[in-house]
Amino acid sequence: MRRVGYAIPRQYKCRVIRWRPARFSSSATSSTATLSPTFLGRARALTAEYAELSDQLAKNYDVNIAKKVGELSPTSTALSDWEQASSVSDISTQLLSDPTTDTELRSIAAEELPSSSQSLEEAAIRLRTSLVPVHEFAHLPCLIELRPGAGGSEAALFAGDLLRMYQAFCKRQGLHASLLKLDETEGMGNESQVQEAILEIEGEGAYAMLRCEAGVHRVQRVPATESKSRTHTSAVSVMVLPSFPSTGVDEMTQNSFSDPTSDYFVDPKDVRTDVMRARGAGGQHVNTTDSAVRLTHIPTNTVVAIQDSRSQIANRKKAWHILRSRIAQARREAREEEMAKLRVSVVGVARMGRGDKIRTYNWGQQRVTDHRSGITLHHLDDVLEGGPSLDTVMQSVRGWMTERELEALGADEEVCAGGKAA
């Protein structure tokens, strides 16, 4: 990790985790045990489907049915727990409200009510969470793209810090991380400045784990070249994309490169391919062979250029890999934007865009603050080393994302109910 010549104030040397209220509050997951008829109706419909499919599976095993049963099982279990907890809580409430209840029963009911209410609230939270649909790309590996933004050379240096942070995190998690692209320039003091980096994270569920990192990461620190010890603010853009298999067909139909209805289908006729000689440092092959490849998706003007390998074939393969991921993400975001228009009147909060600063890393205070979940940790070193503190931040953001998804789910149900009523 790059060190900056800045004395850490004594009051920030203690390691304390401070949780602040989230900047974006949610009414969909308020700490109440009451579930709306919309959520209950959805939960009961899914539980009925679970029971029907379980019966089919018992008579004749089928891989697809078994997978669906596994997906519905958490909702069925959570609904059963909620109904049981609700029944216990109702009995205690009725005993306390009934004037004919004898003293001993009333005492027992009064003693049991707090714990039964707590159990009911916890069961309601589990049930709401189980209703959030699994992200369609959750099971896939992912790509992390890093690009420096405002801040010049300091932003490029911080991009290198983030790259090493994600590499260390993946190593600790047992995930294989490989660099698909790394563009660097040499700065003052022979320090490498990252202009662009694309990291591929392999492993089941890598996208589900890391998609919470997408957004603008801001750093506040004193650069080594700053003579007056003034704190500078820089930013790095982090994009997290699902990484689709480069060969073969996934078991899910939308994961086929040849299926025109899938998100990541790219018609070769829509892509212009340019080959050229590689530029920059790299040895004898540079400027002698046409190994660099640039793909341009004409309908969207999406451009991917790769020159990392001496082999044109290898560069072409990498470029197609990245292009498919970018196109698929853009298509999915377009659908989300359409749904957001319907949700605005119900949800009342705008969808967070990529331009928003999602996290701040403050060197002077040794502080990391995520502006979505509201969590603040004074464990900057551990976060940048990909340690457990980074896990803590990510978990808090994933919780925040679940709240947003629940909020959107409730909005969708209300929109549908309103459409039927009309």
Side-chain angles (χ1 to χ4, degrees):
M1 188 187 73
R2 179 173 171 270
R3 302 291 180 181
V4 179
Y6 190 97
I8 301 172
R10 184 174 181 180
Q11 65 266 34
Y12 296 116
K13 290 186 178 180
C14 60
R15 296 196 165 196
V16 178
I17 295 179
R18 178 166 55 91
W19 186 277
R20 299 184 300 128
R23 190 178 69 180
F24 301 97
S25 62
S26 169
S27 60
T29 54
S30 58
S31 57
T32 174
T34 303
L35 291 172
S36 69
T38 299
F39 279 117
L40 273 178
R42 182 178 178 82
R44 285 169 178 154
L46 293 175
T47 299
E49 183 181 1
Y50 168 79
E52 181 181 349
L53 292 176
S54 296
D55 289 341
Q56 293 180 21
L57 194 62
K59 297 174 183 176
N60 185 23
Y61 182 80
D62 181 270
V63 174
N64 293 328
I65 293 178
K67 182 177 180 181
K68 186 65 176 178
V69 167
E71 293 174 355
L72 296 175
S73 177
T75 300
S76 177
T77 302
L79 178 61
S80 176
D81 291 344
W82 180 85
E83 288 176 338
Q84 183 178 356
S86 180
S87 176
V88 172
S89 180
D90 287 346
I91 291 173
S92 297
T93 302
Q94 290 171 8
L95 287 173
L96 288 173
S97 60
D98 188 351
T100 64
T101 302
D102 63 54
T103 305
E104 186 177 355
L105 278 178
R106 185 179 295 276
S107 176
I108 294 173
E111 185 178 339
E112 292 292 331
L113 186 59
S115 62
S116 62
S117 298
Q118 178 66 25
S119 298
L120 180 59
E121 184 172 331
E122 292 172 354
I125 292 172
R126 289 195 300 271
L127 182 54
R128 288 193 192 95
T129 303
S130 74
L131 292 174
V132 176
V134 177
H135 193 287
E136 60 181 313
F137 299 148
H139 65 290
L140 292 174
C142 70
L143 302 175
I144 297 180
E145 301 186 4
L146 303 169
R147 294 181 182 84
S153 61
E154 184 63 19
L157 290 171
F158 183 54
D161 292 334
L162 291 182
L163 175 61
R164 289 184 287 274
M165 178 183 79
Y166 290 126
Q167 288 174 321
F169 173 81
C170 292
K171 183 177 181 180
R172 192 172 62 82
Q173 294 289 332
L175 299 172
H176 181 262
S178 56
L179 273 174
L180 293 184
K181 184 175 183 180
L182 179 60
D183 288 346
E184 293 181 308
T185 58
E186 191 174 291
M188 296 182 62
N190 296 324
E191 289 187 284
S192 296
Q193 298 180 0
V194 174
Q195 301 305 314
E196 181 181 17
I198 301 179
L199 190 66
E200 182 177 35
I201 315 300
E202 299 176 20
E204 182 78 15
Y207 181 70
M209 179 185 296
L210 290 162
R211 69 188 182 102
C212 61
E213 293 300 288
V216 176
H217 294 235
R218 180 175 64 179
V219 60
Q220 296 174 329
R221 63 185 177 188
V222 180
T225 56
E226 173 58 56
S227 59
K228 297 183 180 180
S229 298
R230 290 175 297 189
T231 299
H232 289 217
T233 299
S234 307
V236 171
S237 170
V238 177
M239 290 182 64
V240 183
L241 307 170
S243 178
F244 301 102
S246 57
T247 59
V249 177
D250 195 282
E251 62 180 357
M252 298 175 65
T253 57
Q254 67 264 33
N255 290 344
S256 168
F257 293 153
S258 60
D259 181 3
T261 63
S262 69
D263 279 334
Y264 53 93
F265 171 77
V266 178
D267 191 337
K269 292 183 292 186
D270 292 336
V271 178
R272 184 178 69 244
T273 302
D274 300 307
V275 295
M276 63 206 76
R277 294 185 177 182
R279 295 175 294 177
Q284 294 180 352
H285 79 290
V286 174
N287 295 322
T288 62
T289 60
D290 291 334
S291 58
V293 175
R294 181 175 64 218
L295 301 179
T296 303
H297 186 245
I298 297 171
T300 61
N301 199 32
T302 302
V303 180
V304 176
I306 295 292
Q307 64 172 34
D308 293 358
S309 173
R310 298 188 180 191
S311 167
Q312 183 189 119
I313 295 175
N315 285 333
R316 187 187 299 267
K317 183 178 179 180
K318 283 185 179 180
W320 270 101
H321 188 70
I322 295 170
L323 181 65
R324 285 191 179 103
S325 295
R326 290 182 181 176
I327 295 297
Q329 185 72 1
R331 287 169 177 165
R332 188 173 191 278
E333 288 184 350
R335 292 198 303 271
E336 290 177 348
E337 290 291 348
E338 287 299 316
M339 287 305 301
K341 293 176 183 178
L342 297 175
R343 294 170 184 157
V344 165
S345 60
V346 179
V347 177
V349 293
R351 178 176 177 269
M352 176 176 284
R354 291 189 183 277
D356 290 348
K357 296 175 180 63
I358 63 165
R359 191 175 300 161
T360 295
Y361 305 74
N362 186 294
W363 250 249
Q365 300 174 6
Q366 286 289 288
R367 170 177 61 83
V368 176
T369 296
D370 195 285
H371 304 294
R372 297 162 295 178
S373 66
I375 190 174
T376 290
L377 282 74
H378 291 282
H379 291 188
L380 178 62
D381 287 351
D382 191 52
V383 168
L384 291 174
E385 289 167 2
S389 295
L390 182 57
D391 278 340
T392 301
V393 175
M394 287 185 179
Q395 288 171 9
S396 74
V397 177
R398 284 193 287 268
W400 177 86
M401 293 173 73
T402 298
E403 290 183 3
R404 304 279 74 72
E405 289 165 348
L406 279 169
E407 193 172 62
L409 180 63
D412 288 346
E413 296 287 352
E414 290 190 31
V415 168
C416 291
K420 291 178 180 178

